[in-house]
Amino acid sequence: MIQKILVQLARIIVGALFIFSGFVKLVDPIGSQYKFEEYFSESVLNMEFLIPYALPFSIVLIVAEILLGVMVLIGYKSKLTVWSLFLLTLVFLFLTWYSAYYDKVTDCGCFGDAVKLSTWGTFYKNVILIALVLILVVGVKYVKPIFGGKIPKVITFLSLAAFLFIVQHVLTHLPIIDFRAYAIGKNIPEGMVYPKDGSIPPVHDFMLEDEQADLAPELLKKEKVMLVIIYNLDKADENGFPAIKDIATKAKAKGYTVYGVSASFSDDLILAKEKYDLPFDFLFCDETTLKTIIRGNPGVVILDKGTVVEKKNWVDVDEIEL
């Protein structure tokens, strides 16, 4: 009886945790892509041959994580689900131990940008998690379907379809929930203020540099600013430049201050400006910062006195109301 109760408690906790952890990454799979690229880099796991596959790898892992959370709660394919949870948790346990012990990746991205934990805090969380999963492994016979007939199967496949639709939507557009310091409604100067505990503020590397100076302080005071983010010119979607040119031209006509922002070399940006007839000059910003600001490449951010009032991937820039 006690074992049965423990199994049901573990089932609820593990299922809820996997669903939450999977969902906060599902709404922003590109964030997980960046995290896996960091793990695969030479300085961490030295598996650079996997970097081109970071996005599909992250999508598979995210969908598997959230789907297994659903499956364990409804009791579909109990043995397969529980052992899959065990293997997946082992992977998480190794990655978080490696990050903590070698101090390689300071944020494992286990909860996306929604919840930040220390490296050792994340590892200990996974130690508790695998203990709960082991309870399920031992008592898998008590993990029974909560619905009869084919309902668990239908729920599982409908859930999978919904998760894949969300992935397709956010990859085409932008994350449906933005947990980052540059989300719509966030004020960038306020994000630069150091907390009372002396920790690093959410925004600590926002600079917009030309050849002479950092223009960020000046631009963050203006009311109508459009930033065209192209974090890496080589990886940018060329199909987006005509739409970018059009919206930037309209914005300038309505009194907006418009700049492109990139981490690419200035000579390459000059050539791109001429090639696509872009009506703005480029400023420099760190690539990681630009990836954090917006997932689009190219993408558009509208600022009003430092507050983010609009963000769009290039496919949706025609929706921007100037």
Side-chain angles (χ1 to χ4, degrees), residues 258-289:
V258 181
Y259 279 105
V261 189
S262 180
S264 294
F265 292 111
S266 58
D267 290 346
D268 294 334
L269 294 171
I270 291 172
L271 292 175
K273 179 181 177 180
E274 294 176 353
K275 178 180 179 180
Y276 300 109
D277 193 24
L278 301 176
F280 49 77
D281 294 324
F282 279 92
L283 301 175
F284 175 83
C285 185
D286 176 72
E287 183 170 320
T288 300
T289 301

Side-chain angles (χ1 to χ4, degrees), residues 56-78:
F57 184 82
S58 64
I59 291 172
V60 170
L61 199 60
I62 291 167
V63 172
E65 182 179 6
I66 188 171
L67 191 63
L68 287 171
V70 172
M71 290 169 67
V72 76
L73 284 180
I74 65 175
Y76 181 63
K77 299 284 186 182
S78 300

Side-chain angles (χ1 to χ4, degrees), residues 55 99 143 233 253:
L55 180 57
S99 297
V143 183
L233 190 60

Side-chain angles (χ1 to χ4, degrees), residues 210-227:
D210 63 7
E211 294 180 355
Q212 282 80 37
D214 177 16
L215 301 185
E218 174 188 341
L219 293 177
L220 291 176
K221 295 177 183 177
K222 291 180 173 288
E223 291 187 351
K224 299 166 72 174
V225 175
M226 173 180 286
L227 300 179

Side-chain angles (χ1 to χ4, degrees), residues 39-213:
Y39 272 114
F40 295 150
S41 66
E42 181 181 4
S43 61
V44 185
L45 295 176
N46 194 23
M47 301 171 70
E48 293 183 284
F49 66 94
L50 288 177
I51 289 179
Y53 310 104
L55 180 57
F57 184 82
S58 64
I59 291 172
V60 170
L61 199 60
I62 291 167
V63 172
E65 182 179 6
I66 188 171
L67 191 63
L68 287 171
V70 172
M71 290 169 67
V72 76
L73 284 180
I74 65 175
Y76 181 63
K77 299 284 186 182
S78 300
K79 288 185 179 180
L80 174 64
T81 299
V82 168
W83 280 104
S84 297
L85 285 168
F86 178 70
L87 293 175
L88 195 57
T89 307
L90 275 181
V91 173
F92 293 156
L93 189 68
F94 167 74
L95 290 176
T96 53
W97 169 81
Y98 190 92
S99 297
Y101 187 81
Y102 291 101
D103 195 27
K104 290 290 187 178
V105 181
T106 56
D107 175 18
C108 74
C110 294
F111 294 110
D113 291 295
V115 179
K116 299 293 184 181
L117 298 175
S118 66
T119 51
W120 281 112
T122 305
F123 171 71
Y124 293 134
K125 181 268 294 181
N126 282 325
V127 170
I128 296 172
L129 180 59
I130 202 164
L132 292 170
V133 174
L134 283 172
I135 292 175
L136 296 177
V137 171
V138 173
V140 66
K141 63 182 179 181
Y142 297 117
V143 183
K144 299 182 181 298
I146 62 174
F147 301 108
K150 295 183 178 180
I151 295 178
K153 182 178 181 179
V154 171
I155 292 175
T156 298
F157 281 91
L158 286 178
S159 297
L160 176 60
F163 300 151
L164 292 177
F165 173 79
I166 291 173
V167 168
Q168 187 276 333
H169 178 82
V170 298
L171 289 179
T172 303
H173 306 281
L174 290 179
I176 54 178
I177 302 176
D178 192 345
F179 297 104
R180 288 159 287 148
Y182 301 93
I184 293 176
K186 295 282 189 177
N187 183 271
I188 294 176
E190 290 178 1
M192 294 178 176
V193 177
Y194 276 83
K196 293 182 180 179
D197 60 6
S199 60
I200 298 176
V203 178
H204 55 274
D205 47 10
F206 183 80
M207 293 179 290
L208 303 172
E209 299 175 314
D210 63 7
E211 294 180 355
Q212 282 80 37

